Amino acid sequence: MRASERVYESLREDIVSWRLLPGAVLSEVEQADRLGVSRTPLREALGRLAADGLAVVGKGRTLVVSDLRAADVEHLFELREALETQAARLAARRRSAAPFAALRDRFAEAPALLSTEDPDRRAYYALVTELDAAIDEAAASPYLLRALASLRTHVARARRLSRDNPDRLVRAAHEHLLIVEAIADGNETLAAQATAVHLRASLTTILTSLADGGRATDPSLPTLTLGAAR
């Protein structure tokens, strides 16, 4: 892996996971020293973060981690609904039924994955990632998938703002099951509608979390007041 790619992946993960908070200065000297690279690959990585919208120019023309306000989350989900409902519709139209039939069986058991024995819900989120990949493959729409790939970076960042809500996660598992069933059955309309319902419920959960103070899912992360001056 090229140095610039490694630096980009490291900084991207730090931003998405909130180890680097909104407003944090991305000093070339400091980050180059921390990551053990020269400033040339670091500049390439910072340029990619800026293109992704994860970094913006701050005071003194220094790059800083971009903010993520409640309004930003709403706009993000507006685009997410447009893209993901279309992906679900295309997946239902073009799918091979077998992979989604298998996922349907696994999502029927998904609530059992949401146990206190796995507080990070790794198994559950791994299953959701498999569903995303299956929909992407079935949709077979290169330009749509390229747009979704860019969007998912911000989705992952916003998701960390949601409080750990077991009841909501169980409802989300049922919503995913309905999406999978609709795609397996080749029902384009229901696949799109079920996706929209799921996304709107997710948005409501995140916005409620923001209104309550915006503590990220990981309790070790600080409470954030989004939109406040930093």
Side-chain angles (χ1 to χ4, degrees):
M1 181 183 291
R2 295 174 56 226
S4 61
E5 181 70 22
R6 177 172 59 83
V7 171
Y8 167 77
E9 293 291 345
S10 178
L11 288 173
R12 177 184 175 278
E13 177 58 25
D14 285 344
I15 293 171
V16 168
S17 64
W18 296 86
R19 287 189 290 270
L20 284 172
L21 297 176
V25 176
L26 298 172
S27 163
E28 288 188 10
V29 174
E30 179 183 344
Q31 297 300 329
D33 183 63
R34 181 174 75 89
L35 297 170
V37 296
S38 69
R39 293 172 72 174
T40 297
L42 178 67
R43 285 171 181 161
E44 291 180 22
L46 291 177
R48 289 183 63 184
L49 292 172
D52 289 343
L54 295 175
V56 295
V57 177
K59 293 180 180 179
R61 299 192 61 77
T62 301
L63 281 181
V64 300
V65 176
S66 61
D67 202 352
L68 189 63
R69 305 167 187 261
D72 297 324
V73 175
E74 291 183 13
H75 295 321
L76 171 64
F77 271 74
E78 288 173 353
L79 179 57
R80 189 182 179 193
E81 182 174 332
L83 296 179
E84 292 198 13
T85 54
Q86 179 64 6
R89 191 186 303 276
L90 291 175
R93 182 184 308 169
R94 300 170 177 170
R95 92 282 184 254
S96 170
F100 290 96
L103 282 169
R104 177 176 55 203
D105 294 340
R106 294 172 66 192
F107 269 102
E109 303 296 328
L113 301 176
L114 300 169
S115 69
T116 55
E117 296 177 3
D118 181 13
D120 292 329
R121 278 60 169 169
R122 289 188 179 90
Y124 173 72
Y125 286 119
L127 181 57
V128 172
T129 298
E130 286 186 50
L131 173 58
D132 287 341
I135 291 173
D136 288 351
E137 182 175 356
S141 178
Y143 291 104
L144 176 60
L145 298 186
R146 202 169 301 157
L148 277 170
S150 174
L151 182 69
R152 283 173 180 155
T153 296
H154 300 280
V155 170
R157 190 181 181 205
R159 185 179 291 141
R160 289 296 296 269
L161 290 171
S162 180
R163 291 183 185 274
D164 190 7
N165 186 329
D167 291 339
R168 169 59 199 151
L169 289 175
V170 171
R171 291 195 300 274
H174 288 300
E175 291 161 8
H176 281 123
L177 176 58
L178 185 58
I179 294 168
V180 172
E181 288 176 336
I183 294 175
D185 293 341
N187 190 328
E188 297 181 29
T189 300
L190 182 56
Q193 290 175 344
T195 300
V197 168
H198 168 65
L199 293 178
R200 291 173 191 177
S202 297
L203 174 59
T204 297
T205 299
I206 292 174
L207 293 179
T208 299
S209 177
L210 294 180
D212 288 343
R215 182 174 295 280
T217 301
D218 184 344
S220 68
L221 296 176
T223 297
L224 304 175
T225 305
L226 297 189
R230 290 178 174 82

